[in-house]
Amino acid sequence: MGNLLCCVQIEQSTVAIKEKFGRFEEVLEPGFHCVPMFLGDRLAGHLSLRLQQLDIQCETKTKDNVFVNVVASIQYRALADKASDAFYKLSNTRTQIQAYVFDVIRAYVPKLNLDDAFEQKNKIAKAVEEELEKAMSGYGYEIVQTLIIDIEPDVHVKRAMNEINAAARLRLAATEKAEAEKILQIKRAEGEAEAKYLSGLGIARQRQAIVNGLRDSVLGFAVNVPGTSAKDVMDMVLVTQYFDTMKEIGAASKSSAVFIPHGPGAVRDVASQIRNGLLQASHQ
């Protein structure tokens, strides 16, 4: 009797299609049902109401003639209130969805350049979703979500794009490095100029101090030693400076031999030569 009654159990998130003498009669909800086969009733099949996902890879060409593989992920499910349409109207749901996805992608992507295709992934997904929703709703299916998860150009195109990007970054790095070196050279030149200016200022002040000291020494000596002219004092100072210089040269560890004439009149000759040299330099 149980075989004649054919008691069946429908699992959760699933519906069953009941026919009577080969004609659709009703949709059986999840639970326990009796299908009396002796009265011509039978189960034509089951239909899942769970969310399903279909990943589709479509090859197409962009506006700038670059072949790309577009990977789309379609999430869909059968509607419980249209279970009979979903069961009877389509023999292969996944093949039907794939055909619509191919049609939309190959109509939309060729209008875009490669860079624009990457930037407008959401717009491509929206176009696919709208077309699928319009087509599949008549077959009892709902399109829950459409995602463009990848746009992959040909491997040679990817390598060329990476090389272009790398060259641009190297060019930018070289520009920044040259600019940094330029700044360093400018700062170095400014530092050298400032150092030379300060050095020259120091030398000028040093010479001014020497001249002032010599002047004070000559004036003081002429006042304290009566009968001495400024010329005599200047000769004595010049000779003293001359011999101090010779002493420093001789004390240097790496100095060479220096020969100077010496005799009873050498001191007067040295003073005369120094004075004449100073006067000639001042006239020039």
Side-chain angles (χ1 to χ4, degrees), residues 223-280:
V223 170
N224 295 325
V225 181
T228 304
S229 65
K231 175 179 176 302
D232 296 333
V233 177
M234 193 62 189
D235 289 342
M236 183 184 67
V237 171
L238 290 175
V239 171
T240 303
Q241 292 291 332
Y242 174 75
F243 281 111
D244 287 342
T245 302
M246 293 296 103
K247 179 180 178 181
E248 291 179 0
I249 293 174
S253 60
K254 296 183 180 181
S255 61
S256 302
V258 178
F259 296 94
I260 57 174
H262 187 72
V267 174
R268 184 176 298 276
D269 293 339
V270 168
S272 177
Q273 291 175 10
I274 293 174
R275 183 171 57 255
N276 292 335
L278 291 175
L279 292 176
Q280 288 177 3

Side-chain angles (χ1 to χ4, degrees), residues 17-26 40-42 88:
I17 305 300
K18 179 183 175 182
E19 294 180 348
K20 190 176 186 68
F21 295 114
R23 182 175 181 179
F24 169 74
E25 185 175 46
E26 65 176 327
D41 294 340
R42 77 180 188 93
Y88 287 106

Side-chain angles (χ1 to χ4, degrees), residues 12 17 20 29 32 35 37 48 64 74 91 100 108 113 125 127-128 154-155 166 172 176 182 213 219 244 254 266 281:
Q12 186 65 35
I17 305 300
K20 190 176 186 68
E29 300 290 337
F32 186 80
V35 182
M37 298 182 63
S48 175
D64 47 356
I74 312 300
S91 61
Y100 280 111
Y108 196 94
N113 291 325
V128 173
D154 181 78
V155 62
L172 179 60
E176 295 295 333
K182 174 184 174 182
L219 294 177
D244 287 342
K254 296 183 180 181

